[in-house]
Amino acid sequence: MRKPAKPRITKPHLKWAWNKRRSVWEPYHRVTWTEGGKRRERAVKLDWQGDAERLDALYWECAAGKHEKQQAPAKQTWRALIDAWRKDPRVQGKLSEGTKKTYRRDMESILEKNADKDVRRLTKSAVRAAHAKLAETPRKADRFLQTVSLLWNYGANKLDWPLGDNPTRGVDHYGKQREYEPWPQWMVDALDKAPEDVRTAAFLILNTGQRPNAAITMKFSDFDGDWMSVLDEKNDERMEVYCPAELRAFIASASRKGAYVLAKNLTQPRGYWAVSKAFRAWRDDLGPKAAKYVLHGLRKLAIIRLAEAGCSDAEIQAVTNQSAEMVAYYRARASRKALSRSAQQRRT
């Protein structure tokens, strides 16, 4: 194939090089100088895509030293900041495993899109936008703010990075949220017509008494006869809990599409957010009266049902691993119902 003529576009420092593999002429902004008696050169390839106007813009960007390839890589990146925080024994030695796991989730989310970005470029408006985007899950939103603030302060105070004002300052938290509402019986009954993933997830949460994510990601191998192995996510600890007969029967009859009860494929579980999305769509179909209920409310309903069955606080904690304060709070809900029933029945 005959080599085509070199483009006639000429400018100072604009050089054309023939790319044999692609059989095209490629433009470079090339500058040479002598330093310490040696010839030095810096060349930036211009992705002009055959467009003279684009080439002109790229050329003058290089002439001004503003082309992205002329910028020194950022040293104060989110990756460097998070790595330093994770490796600092002064920090890690003060945190519980559950707290570390909570921070780890948020930090992985930050790294996913911002690992090599300069921390100093984060703005308050960007923080507000990210916080608002998580408004449907206010606890998660506020935890995100807390994580960003923690990292920023660590970089400024422990690494002596010139970060300036913390961009989370002045961004209002959603604040302490009310406790999750236990599901009413009519909503539990409505599960009969829910999508299979929602129905299965709800059954697992209610009958194991565990946090939604821990219940949703249970394996068939976690069930062994009368017992089940459950994960306390907060403390990153596994416990052996007695498995109720109804749940044993459910697991025995469940179709096996993989290692997990809620399987994405043979080796992976359905993600919590995929199940949550399906749940919210089903909940929306139930109308406004269902809007305040979330999957976590089934865990609270489990406490109430155990209390109504006559279980002691210690027994409820052995099943759900909830704090004594939380068990007492929801036991009171159960006690009020029982007392009101007794009182109203006396009227007749």
Side-chain angles (χ1 to χ4, degrees):
M1 178 180 176
R2 185 178 177 182
K3 183 189 296 186
K6 183 169 62 175
R8 294 183 179 181
I9 303 172
T10 59
K11 294 178 185 292
H13 307 302
L14 179 64
K15 307 296 180 183
W16 294 89
W18 176 250
N19 185 320
K20 291 183 179 180
R21 184 174 61 83
R22 297 179 59 206
S23 298
V24 296
W25 286 99
E26 295 178 334
Y28 287 80
H29 183 277
R30 182 174 294 166
V31 180
T32 60
W33 69 96
T34 300
E35 183 179 301
K38 294 185 178 180
R39 183 176 181 274
R40 303 290 186 183
E41 176 183 293
R42 181 174 64 201
V44 177
K45 181 180 174 181
L46 306 179
D47 182 23
W48 75 311
Q49 300 175 14
D51 183 336
E53 289 187 6
R54 178 180 172 84
L55 175 60
D56 188 65
L58 292 172
Y59 173 84
W60 289 111
E61 198 174 57
C62 280
K66 295 182 178 180
H67 192 283
E68 61 180 10
K69 292 183 179 178
Q70 294 172 304
Q71 309 307 309
K75 294 181 180 179
Q76 284 129 355
T77 65
W78 288 101
R79 188 195 307 280
L81 178 56
I82 290 172
D83 281 348
W85 184 87
R86 286 174 171 173
K87 293 175 182 177
D88 191 335
R90 297 168 300 177
V91 172
Q92 301 305 313
K94 298 177 181 178
L95 302 176
S96 69
E97 286 304 314
T99 300
K100 290 179 189 176
K101 187 173 182 178
T102 298
Y103 282 135
R104 193 179 304 129
R105 288 197 198 104
D106 289 331
M107 291 179 186
E108 287 301 325
S109 178
I110 291 171
L111 289 173
E112 187 176 340
K113 294 183 178 180
N114 302 283
D116 297 317
K117 292 182 179 178
D118 194 325
V119 175
R120 295 169 296 177
R121 298 183 66 180
L122 181 65
T123 63
K124 190 182 295 288
S125 61
V127 172
R128 287 189 194 280
H131 187 239
K133 190 175 181 180
L134 297 169
E136 189 174 334
T137 51
R139 282 183 174 85
K140 183 177 180 180
D142 287 349
R143 194 175 64 238
F144 161 78
L145 274 189
Q146 180 184 354
T147 303
V148 172
S149 181
L150 173 148
L151 288 170
W152 191 278
N153 290 337
Y154 178 80
N157 300 327
K158 303 300 182 183
L159 302 181
D160 296 324
W161 286 5
L163 298 182
D165 291 339
N166 190 322
T168 66
R169 188 175 294 121
V171 179
D172 294 333
H173 288 237
Y174 290 110
K176 181 176 176 57
Q177 305 299 305
R178 64 178 181 175
E179 296 301 337
Y180 296 108
E181 280 294 309
W183 285 26
Q185 187 58 45
W186 68 261
M187 194 164 170
V188 176
D189 293 341
L191 284 168
D192 289 342
K193 296 182 180 179
E196 182 181 358
D197 282 355
V198 175
R199 193 166 59 250
T200 300
F203 194 87
L204 287 171
I205 298 166
L206 182 57
N207 287 277
T208 62
Q210 304 307 307
R211 292 180 175 84
N213 188 58
I216 287 169
T217 55
M218 290 185 76
K219 296 180 177 181
F220 282 105
S221 59
D222 290 332
F223 298 90
D224 183 17
D226 291 344
W227 298 91
M228 56 184 173
S229 174
V230 298
L231 175 64
D232 175 9
E233 289 188 307
K234 189 171 184 179
N235 297 308
D236 197 22
E237 171 187 19
R238 280 206 165 268
M239 306 177 297
E240 295 297 310
V241 177
Y242 187 78
C243 184
E246 189 177 11
L247 181 53
R248 291 201 302 272
F250 178 85
I251 294 299
S253 63
S255 59
R256 301 201 174 208
K257 301 174 183 178
Y260 292 85
V261 181
L262 269 165
K264 177 181 179 180
N265 52 43
L266 291 176
T267 59
Q268 295 178 302
R270 290 278 283 164
Y272 169 78
W273 292 110
V275 174
S276 179
K277 182 179 179 180
F279 160 73
R280 292 195 301 271
W282 169 75
R283 181 190 62 187
D284 290 346
D285 287 340
L286 295 179
K289 62 180 181 178
K292 65 180 179 180
Y293 300 108
V294 297
L295 285 172
H296 214 111
L298 286 165
R299 175 163 152 88
K300 309 311 179 183
L301 179 58
I303 296 176
I304 288 177
R305 286 189 171 182
L306 289 167
E308 288 178 336
C311 298
S312 68
D313 286 7
E315 287 173 324
I316 296 173
Q317 284 184 272
V319 173
T320 65
N321 208 36
Q322 286 272 34
S323 68
E325 293 79 11
M326 196 61 66
V327 170
Y329 177 85
Y330 285 100
R331 171 182 286 285
R333 299 282 292 269
S335 298
R336 282 198 298 271
K337 288 178 67 177
L339 288 170
S340 68
R341 182 189 303 115
S342 175
Q344 295 286 40
Q345 287 175 344
R346 290 181 184 179
R347 297 172 63 173
T348 59

